[in-house]
Amino acid sequence: MKTRDRIIQASLEMFNDQGERNVTTNHIASKLGISPGNLYYHFKNKQQIIYDIYLIYEKQVDANLQVPTDRPLNINDKVIYLETIFQGLWDYRFLHRDLQHLLQNDEELQKRYNVFFKRCLKATQDIYFGLRDAGMLNACDEDLRALALNTWILVTSWFGFIHSNLLSDNEREESRELLNAGIYQIFALERPFLKEEFREPVAMLVEQLGLSLDQLSVLPS
């Protein structure tokens, strides 16, 4: 593996595990056993490392939100969309854990993210329109556009919700179980728009995936 790729991989691991604010370029160089000068040969500063990691994440999300053009969408497609998006949240969780801070510190990143958001929102709308065309949803265009926006807000704010409301004083890290509870919430947003014949299959699918609100102890019983 090239040194530049090793730097990106090590930085991503450290940012995820320790928090981006707690990791310096010296920490990254030390982990890799290279000199700070070697690291700066490939990246001028930590912000550039973060930017390049973001570009990888952005490319993955764009690929994962593609709508097939040769066939209608189905339930399995919906599951794949959610699982890949939430897997991306997990793999690049430092980005979502402190997104506002990262955007405020890098004007170029903020501009690129704003374009990315609009592209993702359009792709999410296309997915919901595709699900309606496939006969799964019963909703007007306005409802589906609102559903797409609410879905994306939930996806991008879920890590903040976890840290603000679900982690105890002794916990610093989120878990995959708490992350998967976010997938359940997406299904809950969509439920009112499901056609009757798809309600039971989707409910069975949610159960098979082991999705529930059990982890959300803040909710009243």
Side-chain angles (χ1 to χ4, degrees), residues 198-210:
F198 286 96
R199 289 179 180 272
E200 184 174 350
V202 169
M204 292 177 62
L205 186 60
V206 169
E207 184 176 353
Q208 290 171 6
L209 292 172

Side-chain angles (χ1 to χ4, degrees), residues 1-2 4 12 22 40 49 69 72 76 96 125-126 139 169 190 206-208 212:
M1 184 184 295
K2 295 180 179 179
R4 182 183 181 86
L12 177 58
N22 299 319
Y40 288 126
I49 298 175
T69 58
N76 288 335
H96 302 277
Q125 289 178 4
D126 289 344
D169 293 338
E190 298 165 355
V206 169
E207 184 176 353
Q208 290 171 6
S212 71

Side-chain angles (χ1 to χ4, degrees), residues 61-73:
V61 174
D62 283 337
N64 291 335
L65 290 179
Q66 294 298 311
V67 177
T69 58
D70 58 342
R71 61 173 179 81
L73 290 175

Side-chain angles (χ1 to χ4, degrees), residues 175-188:
S175 67
R176 284 306 299 265
E177 289 75 21
L178 289 176
L179 186 70
N180 287 343
I183 300 179
Y184 178 94
Q185 289 299 104
I186 300 296
F187 277 112

